[in-house]
């Protein structure tokens, strides 16, 4: 692993830093889970895209810069260091786009990627169902063939769909072959969230904002042109990017390095006293953890650039970054003492960090993957068919 940046990478870093310094809003945007904040974040995506910073690693014809993986990591580091807004289009950009590039038809790429890059069309991930989260393959939503119209009719319910309350299109898995067992017989569909038969019901959170929605489907027609990756191939298509999501694209190290730097600042600003003393070790651990994650990621990038793949290692990353995020924010709240309970970015960050061990595959399940696929331990016993559970 070579940590020395080349001349062109240094130039890319300088250009990124300069643009962000000149354009990142001085005041934080309103929450993207509100109508006002949604519009502000969409406008920010447009601004990023106009300057070709929204999807740096994509080809130029789709508003990207053809940036290398190393440059993408540099961009992410600079983005978080600058305190730039959260990415409202992240589920499309990080979860759907890689699948469109690998499995989409040229027509799908041309239809969907440009508006994803500009933030004009925001996508929601519709995978989880009330009875299918960790065990996603047990999903029950169906796709029934409609030969007459040349497409499929979707029925069922999805839940915990982030930002679906305001998003424009969704992507999800449906059972297209009821006879096939579990992973087989699933197909990946793309659909507008305002299509006939789709009902989006926001789920209010404790703070009153609708960060999630349930999405109901009643005979929603999807043409064949909006099947992604082939009928019955949904599982393989979906899983082809899950490792990258956990390991690299979803939570880049820049996010934690920037938070750890802010934590050090908070420590320095905190007056001498018991809160400061109690937090000292946590501050050091958080800063070292963020740096360790950064260096580990550079190792991953070197491996991937050399033709390797993420594989099960993405699960190690996911457990590490999600636990680091909680510890870092707990330390910050400790430093703030009684003020910890007053609304602040630290408190918001802490409450969000608590969901890290759940989304993108729960940490318990990631530990199973690490145990079985990396450590070679025996597989977790699966209940046999018909056995009492
Ligand atoms: C902030 C956030 C954003 C999300 N965004 C989206 C989204 O945009 N789209 C979407 O489709 N979904 C989304 N989800 C849903 C998320 O993917 C699911 O919550 C997750 O997959 C877990 O599923 P579940 O909630 O049904 O829990 P379950 O799968 O029912 O798990 C319950 C508990 O059992 C444990 N468990 C389950 N199986 C095992 C096992 N084999 N071994 C050991 N322990 C096990 C789990 O770890 C967990 O602790 C989001 C969730 C959160 C918190």
């Amino acid at each position: 692993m070579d940590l020395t940046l080349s001349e062109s990478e240094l130039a890319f870093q300088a250009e990124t830093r300069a643009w962000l310094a000149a354009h990142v809003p001085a005041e934080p945007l309103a929450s993207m889970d509100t109508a006002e904040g949604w519009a502000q974040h969409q406008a920010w995506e447009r601004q990023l895209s106009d300057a070709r910073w929204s999807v740096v690693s994509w080809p130029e014809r789709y508003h990207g810069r053809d940036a290398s993986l190393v440059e993408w990591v540099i961009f992410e580091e600079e983005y978080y260091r600058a305190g730039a807004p959260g990415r409202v289009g992240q589920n499309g950009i990080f979860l759907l786009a890689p699948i469109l590039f690998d499995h989409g038809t040229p027509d799908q790429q041309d239809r969907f990627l440009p508006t994803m890059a500009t933030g004009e069309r925001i996508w929601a991930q519709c995978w989880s169902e009330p009875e299918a989260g960790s065990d996603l393959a047990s999903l029950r939503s169906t796709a029934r063939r409609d030969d007459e119209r040349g497409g499929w009719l979707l029925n069922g319910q999805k839940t915990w769909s982030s930002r679906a309350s305001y998003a424009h299109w969704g992507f999800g898995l449906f059972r297209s072959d009821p006879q096939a067992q579990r992973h087989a017989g699933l197909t990946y569909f793309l659909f507008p969230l305002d299509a006939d038969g789709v009902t989006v019901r926001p789920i209010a959170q404790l703070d009153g904002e609708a960060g999630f929605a349930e999405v109901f489907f009643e005979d929603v027609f999807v043409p064949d042109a909006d099947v992604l990756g082939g009928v019955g191939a949904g599982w393989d298509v979906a899983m082809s990017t899950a490792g990258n999501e956990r390991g690299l694209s979803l939570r880049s190290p820049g996010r934690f390095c920037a938070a750890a730097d802010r934590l050090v600042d908070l420590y320095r600003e905190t007056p001498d006293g018991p809160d400061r003393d109690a937090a000292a070790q946590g501050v050091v651990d958080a800063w070292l953890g963020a740096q360790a994650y950064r260096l580990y990621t550079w190792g991953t990038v070197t491996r991937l650039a050399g033709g390797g793949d993420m594989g099960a290692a993405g699960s190690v990353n996911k457990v590490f970054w999600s636990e680091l995020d909680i510890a870092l924010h707990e330390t910050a709240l400790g430093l703030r003492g009684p003020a910890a309970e007053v609304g602040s970015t630290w408190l918001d960050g802490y409450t969000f960090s608590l969901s890290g061990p759940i989304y993108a595959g729960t940490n318990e399940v990631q530990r199973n993957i690490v145990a079985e696929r990396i450590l070679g331990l025996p597989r977790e016993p699966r209940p046999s068919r018909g056995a009492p559970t």
Side-chain angles (χ1 to χ4, degrees):
M1 175 172 75
D2 183 0
L3 292 173
T4 322
L5 298 183
S6 68
E7 295 260 314
S8 67
E9 286 160 354
L10 284 169
F12 178 86
Q13 184 183 48
E15 190 186 349
T16 313
R17 190 173 292 181
W19 189 88
L20 289 166
H23 293 89
V24 167
E27 292 298 319
L29 306 185
S31 161
M32 66 176 87
D33 294 335
T34 62
E36 180 199 5
W38 179 270
Q40 291 175 354
H41 281 81
Q42 241 190 310
W44 168 247
E45 289 293 322
R46 179 84 224 189
Q47 207 180 336
L48 279 176
S49 168
D50 285 347
R52 287 194 309 118
W53 292 114
S54 69
V55 286
V56 291
S57 58
W58 291 15
E60 286 188 19
R61 71 179 185 285
Y62 296 132
H63 303 280
R65 290 176 175 246
D66 273 315
S68 67
L69 204 46
V70 168
E71 288 170 333
W72 177 78
V73 176
I74 292 171
F75 171 80
E76 290 282 303
E77 286 186 352
E78 295 302 324
Y79 192 87
Y80 285 104
R81 183 176 293 143
R87 303 293 306 272
V88 70
Q90 60 177 293
N91 278 2
I93 292 171
F94 296 136
L95 304 183
L96 177 59
I99 300 183
L100 277 169
F101 280 118
D102 287 351
H103 303 276
T105 61
D107 164 65
Q108 289 173 334
Q109 293 173 356
D110 289 346
R111 274 193 298 137
F112 298 129
L113 291 169
T115 49
M116 194 186 292
T118 58
E120 193 180 330
R121 182 181 283 164
I122 305 289
W123 291 77
Q125 181 194 29
C126 301
W127 287 17
S128 304
E129 297 184 3
E131 301 299 329
S134 300
D135 187 11
L136 186 62
S138 64
L139 63 85
R140 295 179 187 169
S141 296
T142 59
R144 203 173 68 245
R145 188 71 200 144
D146 182 341
D147 277 328
E148 210 170 294
R149 285 196 280 171
W152 297 81
L153 291 173
L154 306 185
N155 280 283
Q157 180 190 352
K158 301 290 179 178
T159 192
W160 306 128
S161 191
S162 296
R163 294 173 285 285
S165 311
Y166 299 105
H168 309 100
W169 274 58
F171 53 96
L173 289 170
F174 291 76
R175 189 163 293 289
S176 51
D177 180 354
Q179 309 305 327
Q181 292 295 314
R182 288 177 53 81
H183 303 88
L186 299 177
T187 299
Y188 207 114
F189 290 94
L190 311 175
F191 39 82
L193 289 172
D194 61 358
D196 281 350
V198 174
T199 305
V200 177
R201 190 184 296 165
I203 303 173
Q205 302 174 118
L206 282 178
D207 60 10
E209 294 175 2
F212 298 106
E214 299 174 286
V215 186
F216 297 86
F217 299 81
E218 279 178 275
D219 282 341
V220 177
F221 177 72
V222 177
D224 287 331
D226 292 343
V227 168
L228 179 52
V231 174
W235 185 261
D236 290 342
V237 169
M239 291 305 124
S240 66
T241 57
N244 279 349
E245 178 199 357
R246 288 171 194 139
L248 202 59
S249 60
L250 187 66
R251 295 289 175 250
S252 62
R255 179 184 176 113
F256 305 104
C257 290
D261 285 345
R262 282 200 297 277
L263 181 66
V264 172
D265 290 343
L266 180 67
Y267 177 80
R268 289 197 175 119
E269 290 156 11
T270 305
D272 276 338
D275 290 338
R276 198 171 192 261
D277 293 345
Q281 189 61 46
V283 174
V284 173
D285 287 347
W287 193 87
L288 287 177
Q291 290 301 321
Y293 180 48
R294 176 173 184 262
L295 293 176
Y296 184 78
T297 301
W298 279 107
T300 305
V301 166
T302 306
R303 198 173 74 246
L304 296 180
D309 61 20
M310 175 67 72
S315 297
V316 179
N317 289 27
K318 203 260 151 167
V319 171
F320 189 83
W321 61 246
S322 55
E323 294 188 348
L324 167 66
D325 205 24
I326 295 176
L328 189 154
H329 283 90
E330 274 175 351
T331 304
L333 294 189
L335 273 172
R336 283 176 56 77
E341 291 178 30
V342 180
S344 68
T345 52
W346 287 115
L347 186 59
D348 290 347
Y350 172 68
T351 48
F352 187 72
S353 75
L354 295 177
S355 65
I358 303 172
Y359 64 82
T362 69
N363 282 11
E364 289 78 9
V365 171
Q366 303 316 306
R367 286 193 161 89
N368 283 348
I369 294 172
V370 171
E372 293 170 11
R373 296 197 210 151
I374 298 183
L375 302 177
L377 297 175
R379 280 184 73 83
E380 184 190 18
R382 305 270 190 268
S384 58
R385 214 160 232 290
T389 53

